[in-house]
Amino acid sequence: GLPDYAEVLRLEGEPALRGAGEGGTESWAGDVPLGTLPAGWSATADVRDPEFLEDRRRAEVRDLWLWRSLLGVAALLLLAGVLELASGVLGMVNRGRQARIADQKPQVELIDAAQSLANRIGELSEKRLMPFEMMAVINPTRPDSIVFQRLVTRGLLGLEVEAQTANAEDVGAYEAALKALPALAKVQVREPRVRDGVTSFVLALEFKADALRNGGAL
């Protein structure tokens, strides 16, 4: 039986649990309060099978990882779609650029051809033979007795002059005068011959690279 101090209450109404302050739980029987249960009572209130609870916990963990994996796969698929779209856009841009390059190719070829022609004309104008300019350089210092018989260019800067004179001393004087000219890099008298009082000789001359600009003026 119950002890003498035990109090028996007759409860009417359906039992209910309601949250109370500081994590506690109030128990009710209809409108009659039965008291407040401590916050930790629910930790020991579960009377279900522990194996069942463990299996359920593992299932929840498995479902969580499956959900995360599904989200990861969805993110990868979305990234792949974005990359594919970006690749398509870049391909379109590249094809458009290649088309513009192909359209401009004839104009570019014409410009290149014109530039090559201009360069060639410039080279020819700079590298053309200039015997008259060479004569203009060496003629002012020539003594009156020396007469040019024949002139032959040797490359762009070389000149050979066959000449003769009735005064042999003028040959040495003319050679010295030519060597003093700043436009000449080399002066040489070759094959001197004397016949019937007339001295024949060959002048081998080499001009400096920039000596013939502006008509022979350095």
Side-chain angles (χ1 to χ4, degrees), residues 24 27 57 61 71 108 142 203:
S27 60
R57 187 188 65 81
V61 172
L71 291 179
V108 173
R142 177 180 59 83
L203 279 174

Side-chain angles (χ1 to χ4, degrees), residues 11-138:
L11 301 178
E12 295 181 0
E14 295 183 1
L17 298 176
R18 301 175 186 174
E22 300 181 358
T25 303
E26 292 182 350
S27 60
W28 293 74
D31 295 332
V32 178
L34 300 178
T36 302
L37 300 174
W41 78 276
S42 60
T44 59
D46 197 338
V47 295
R48 291 177 294 180
D49 184 8
E51 292 185 3
F52 168 78
L53 296 177
E54 181 64 21
D55 292 342
R56 184 172 180 178
R57 187 188 65 81
R58 285 197 295 265
E60 290 177 351
V61 172
R62 182 181 66 250
D63 293 342
L64 177 61
W65 280 108
L66 287 175
W67 174 248
R68 291 178 178 177
S69 300
L70 181 61
L71 291 179
V73 171
L76 290 176
L77 292 176
L78 179 60
L79 178 60
V82 172
L83 292 177
E84 183 69 21
L85 179 60
S87 176
V89 172
L90 290 177
M92 292 177 59
V93 172
N94 185 57
R95 287 191 294 271
R97 183 170 61 249
Q98 294 295 333
R100 289 193 297 272
I101 292 174
D103 292 339
Q104 296 173 357
K105 185 176 180 181
Q107 289 80 4
V108 173
E109 292 178 349
L110 288 176
I111 293 174
D112 290 341
Q115 183 65 39
S116 299
L117 181 60
N119 293 338
R120 182 58 178 166
I121 292 174
E123 292 177 358
L124 291 176
S125 63
E126 293 179 358
K127 296 181 180 181
R128 65 183 177 87
L129 297 176
M130 293 185 287
F132 295 105
E133 290 80 358
M134 293 177 177
M135 285 288 297
V137 172
I138 67 174

